[in-house]
Amino acid sequence: MRALSWHGKHDIRCESVPDPQIEHPRDAVIRVTSCAICGSDLHLYDNFIPGMTPGDVMGHECMGEVVEVGPESRHALKVGDRVVIPFTISCGACPQCLRGNFSVCERSNRNASLAQKAFGRTTAGLFGYTQLTGGYQGGQAEYIRVPFADKTHVKVPSNLSDEKLLFLSDILPTGWQAAVQLGIEETDTVAVWGCGPVGQFAIRSAVLLGAKQVIAIDRVPERLEMAAAGGAIPINFEVESVMERIDALTDGKGPEKCIDAVGLEAHVSGHIDSMYDRAKQAVMAESDRIHALREIIYLIRPAGTISMPGVYGGLADKVPLGALMNKGITVRTGQTHTQRWTDDLLRRIEEGQIDPTFVITHVADLADGPALYETFRDKKDGCVKVVLKP
Amino acid sequence: MRYEPQGSPRRGHPDRETDRLARGLGLFSLALGLAEIAAPRAVARSVGLSGREGYVRACGAREVATGIALLAADDPMPWMWGRVVGDAVDLGLLASALDEGPQRRERAGLAMGAVAAVTLLDFAVAKTLSAEDRRPARPLKDYRRRRGFPRPPEAMRGEAREMAGVY
Ligand SMILES: NC(=O)c1ccc[n+]([C@@H]2O[C@H](COP(=O)([O-])OP(=O)(O)OC[C@H]3O[C@@H](n4cnc5c(N)ncnc54)[C@H](O)[C@@H]3O)[C@@H](O)[C@H]2O)c1
Ligand SMILES: [Zn+2]
Ligand SMILES: [Zn+2]
């Protein structure tokens, strides 16, 4: 089959790879009809996260049609079902899954020992996202093998387009969880750093959840305009002072709730010591990335809450812990517990409350994927979200 | 502040370095101008222009004006060209001292070297600023209608309030 595979820094190729097969009785194989490139994929494209092997298939946002089901998943899936695949692989039965903490499933990461070395404990397996989270092949391909398939899928109706449903796999629930976990009250100002796809959905979620005002911070003008279209007050941090604007909008008190949808690209390997070194390195190389988090800790109102969907990989230097502690800030983080939100969000899409297609700026054949990685990373051609058709 | 030109990979983003350089040259103008106004005699003597204190004071006034403008203006570009013109005037004035005896020639020559070096910097900064854009990055595409909601955001506010904080 054709797939986008990783061959090193800035080297993604559309090439022929072996077809995936059922390897375990709970697996299913899906024929991918649409897939997308995520900000998280850029961390791999830029080679900030090791643990990719040349030839690994990229991608964790995909949907399609079930073509094969292992015997232990047949109670939940049948050939021909139309499904969106959550990027978090979840067993559905471990203590974490039972609590709805799907992104920290205790069973789905087949390389749990690697994750334990890095994080102390393991988190869930993820598609197309390095050996650390299981080394599962990704969905930017014609077919994908889905482990724990009876629990790792969202059945979707046939009357809605792929474009409306695809983002249930990641960025819609991610923006949603980022806002829900803030506990937004009617009087709250929510400030969102980063107007990439995740930030865009976080903004719309904060509006739906009833925030008094939503502020969006980025430096890419068309992304800021898209944020404003969704109800946010845009601040271009390269043109104006974020602090002055935020002070003016919050009577000098700061937003009660902040979302970091920027993230930090840090290196994680199997060993704690190399993780530390590499993370430090990454922080130096990307010092303006943690800058967003520092700015949040500084500007947020005391007793406020920070939500961090932005991906961080390892360790960071110079985190203003004094401000964080003395101001009584709550921090909520996490890879998204995708399956926790998908039923509710699917209903909202069906009812028309939210139409996720607004974020799509590029639709192309899988073969154009390698070039579009670059377009997306460099924000060329007004690129916000790329959808690929295998 | 000016913004990087269309061809630059940072198109539309502010060029803080050149801007800072221009403001620094403004500060330099101001300091030099004040010295020329406060101590025209000493300045004139050190650059071989004794007896032309009037000119020195006039140059001082020009420097102070340019300096203030460079520090205060939104867009330093025209004032940087002002500095380049001023440099040329200074060079002409100093050149006139070259054939007025060996001591004056030496002092004027040294001063001309220094002014020439500053002129090169002024010219480079003025040219860079001219190549840049006066307006920040404009949107590459028009996404102002991509709201993602069936109705304007104001009408959608709180539609999912029952979910706030269910986490
Ligand atoms: N938690 C999860 O489950 C999850 C899921 C998907 C993506 N993510 C992460 O979310 C982050 C954003 O993803 P995306 O797809 O939107 O990526 P993206 O790269 O398109 O968006 C990042 C945005 O942040 C902006 N930015 C950079 N520095 C900034 C600063 N100092 N202040 C404000 N804005 C700044 C960039 O201009 C860009 O628009 C990434 O780190 C990604 O890995 C997390
Ligand atoms: Zn993603
Ligand atoms: Zn589990």
Side-chain angles (χ1 to χ4, degrees):
Chain A
M1 65 162 183
R2 286 190 315 156
L4 297 189
S5 50
W6 183 95
H7 285 274
K9 187 174 181 178
H10 304 158
D11 188 0
I12 305 275
R13 298 179 199 162
C14 183
E15 61 186 6
S16 195
V17 303
D19 284 352
Q21 312 208 315
I22 302 275
E23 294 172 18
H24 180 277
R26 279 181 80 177
D27 288 355
V29 174
I30 313 294
R31 184 179 63 81
V32 178
T33 52
S34 296
C35 55
I37 306 178
C38 177
S40 303
D41 293 328
L42 293 179
H43 305 334
L44 305 177
Y45 180 66
D46 291 332
N47 206 15
F48 274 105
I49 305 185
M52 291 295 282
T53 320
D56 277 355
V57 176
M58 299 283 299
H60 57 268
E61 301 181 1
C62 70
M63 65 178 295
E65 192 191 311
V66 177
V67 291
E68 213 183 331
V69 189
E72 289 179 22
S73 274
R74 288 193 189 138
H75 63 282
L77 275 178
K78 61 176 190 308
V79 171
D81 282 348
R82 190 182 188 212
V83 289
V84 169
I85 305 302
F87 77 104
T88 40
I89 304 169
S90 313
C91 77
C94 73
Q96 292 287 13
C97 282
L98 290 176
R99 283 184 171 77
N101 298 330
F102 299 105
S103 76
V104 289
C105 170
E106 293 173 355
R107 293 204 193 127
S108 61
N109 186 353
R110 60 182 173 183
N111 295 337
S113 61
L114 284 182
Q116 273 158 7
K117 281 197 187 116
F119 299 141
R121 319 279 177 212
T122 188
T123 56
L126 305 175
F127 290 104
Y129 221 73
T130 82
Q131 296 301 320
L132 196 70
T133 49
Y136 295 104
Q137 299 303 294
Q140 288 164 9
E142 286 177 316
Y143 296 91
I144 182 172
R145 176 178 78 93
V146 178
F148 301 97
D150 56 326
K151 295 293 176 189
T152 307
H153 73 268
V154 187
K155 272 194 206 149
V156 289
S158 57
N159 62 333
L160 293 172
S161 67
D162 274 18
E163 282 71 11
K164 277 199 171 166
L165 300 166
L166 176 59
F167 303 135
L168 285 169
S169 60
D170 177 354
I171 54 172
L172 174 56
T174 295
W176 182 256
Q177 177 176 311
V180 168
Q181 66 187 2
L182 288 174
I184 294 172
E185 294 174 37
E186 285 172 44
T187 49
D188 282 348
T189 294
V190 176
V192 181
W193 270 255
C195 297
V198 170
Q200 298 293 343
F201 281 116
I203 288 163
R204 276 127 187 112
S205 303
V207 168
L208 288 174
L209 294 166
K212 186 183 83 184
Q213 66 180 352
V214 180
I215 299 171
I217 299 128
D218 204 301
R219 63 174 206 179
V220 182
E222 57 273 12
R223 291 183 176 208
L224 283 165
E225 285 195 350
M226 190 184 268
I233 301 162
I235 300 179
N236 186 330
F237 68 81
E238 282 213 325
V239 179
E240 38 197 354
S241 155
V242 176
M243 182 155 97
E244 278 172 24
R245 287 290 313 279
I246 283 192
D247 277 358
L249 289 164
T250 58
D251 296 327
K253 293 183 175 184
E256 289 89 345
K257 308 284 157 74
C258 294
I259 295 178
D260 172 359
V262 178
L264 169 88
E265 304 186 296
H267 170 112
V268 186
S269 78
H271 305 282
I272 268 292
D273 57 335
S274 76
M275 198 179 102
Y276 181 69
D277 288 338
R278 178 66 195 226
K280 253 189 142 165
Q281 231 178 342
V283 171
M284 311 274 259
E286 286 284 296
S287 57
D288 57 338
R289 287 295 170 107
I290 190 170
H291 171 78
L293 184 59
R294 281 199 209 102
E295 197 163 68
I296 290 172
I297 295 175
Y298 189 66
L299 293 180
I300 193 170
R301 188 177 301 208
T305 303
I306 300 174
S307 173
M308 245 168 69
V311 162
Y312 287 81
L315 307 167
D317 271 351
K318 315 246 174 352
V319 180
L321 278 180
L324 190 73
M325 182 272 163
N326 285 286
K327 288 168 81 176
I329 305 305
T330 303
V331 182
R332 312 201 67 163
T333 64
Q335 297 284 1
T336 305
H337 304 304
T338 321
Q339 294 93 317
R340 192 193 290 191
W341 313 107
T342 41
D343 288 352
D344 180 52
L345 289 170
L346 174 58
R347 179 181 60 78
R348 292 177 196 280
I349 295 171
E350 287 182 295
E351 289 172 0
Q353 193 181 76
I354 182 148
D355 178 356
T357 58
F358 78 89
V359 80
I360 302 172
T361 55
H362 291 68
V363 181
D365 186 82
L366 189 67
D368 299 325
L372 284 165
Y373 263 87
E374 191 185 320
T375 304
F376 176 46
R377 187 208 43 193
D378 296 343
K379 297 151 186 87
K380 282 189 213 154
D381 194 31
C383 188
V384 180
K385 190 73 182 178
V386 177
V387 172
L388 298 171
K389 302 284 182 177
Chain B
M1 178 86 70
R2 290 212 149 222
Y3 300 87
E4 302 227 356
Q6 283 306 309
S8 149
R10 286 179 35 84
R11 109 203 126 75
H13 296 297
D15 177 4
R16 294 226 158 75
E17 253 133 65
T18 312
D19 191 78
R20 215 173 288 140
L21 213 54
R23 313 290 178 182
L25 287 163
L27 210 58
F28 172 69
S29 268
L30 192 61
L32 181 63
L34 289 175
E36 286 173 330
I37 291 170
R41 192 172 306 241
V43 173
R45 179 146 34 80
S46 70
V47 300
L49 286 175
S50 294
R52 304 217 202 150
E53 281 76 16
Y55 283 110
V56 170
R57 203 177 277 125
C59 286
R62 185 201 74 216
E63 292 281 7
V64 168
T66 317
I68 290 174
L70 270 174
L71 289 171
D74 246 12
D75 180 3
M77 192 271 285
W79 303 103
M80 276 312 303
W81 285 116
R83 268 196 58 85
V84 173
V85 172
D87 291 338
V89 170
D90 289 353
L91 284 172
L93 196 60
L94 289 167
S96 72
L98 285 179
D99 38 37
E100 291 185 16
Q103 197 197 19
R104 283 188 174 211
R105 179 181 308 146
E106 194 189 327
R107 288 182 174 173
L110 279 175
M112 283 180 78
V115 174
V118 176
T119 308
L120 284 181
L121 183 61
D122 284 337
F123 184 74
V125 170
K127 224 178 137 214
T128 307
L129 291 175
S130 296
E132 295 182 344
D133 228 303
R134 193 194 292 275
R135 281 180 299 169
R138 269 144 296 173
L140 288 177
K141 293 271 169 70
D142 184 354
Y143 298 145
R144 283 173 296 179
R145 295 157 61 89
R146 293 186 173 229
R147 58 190 184 199
F149 294 131
R151 297 188 296 284
E154 215 29 69
M156 301 304 294
R157 194 172 303 280
E159 287 276 289
R161 185 158 282 138
E162 78 281 2
M163 291 295 288
V166 299
Y167 192 78

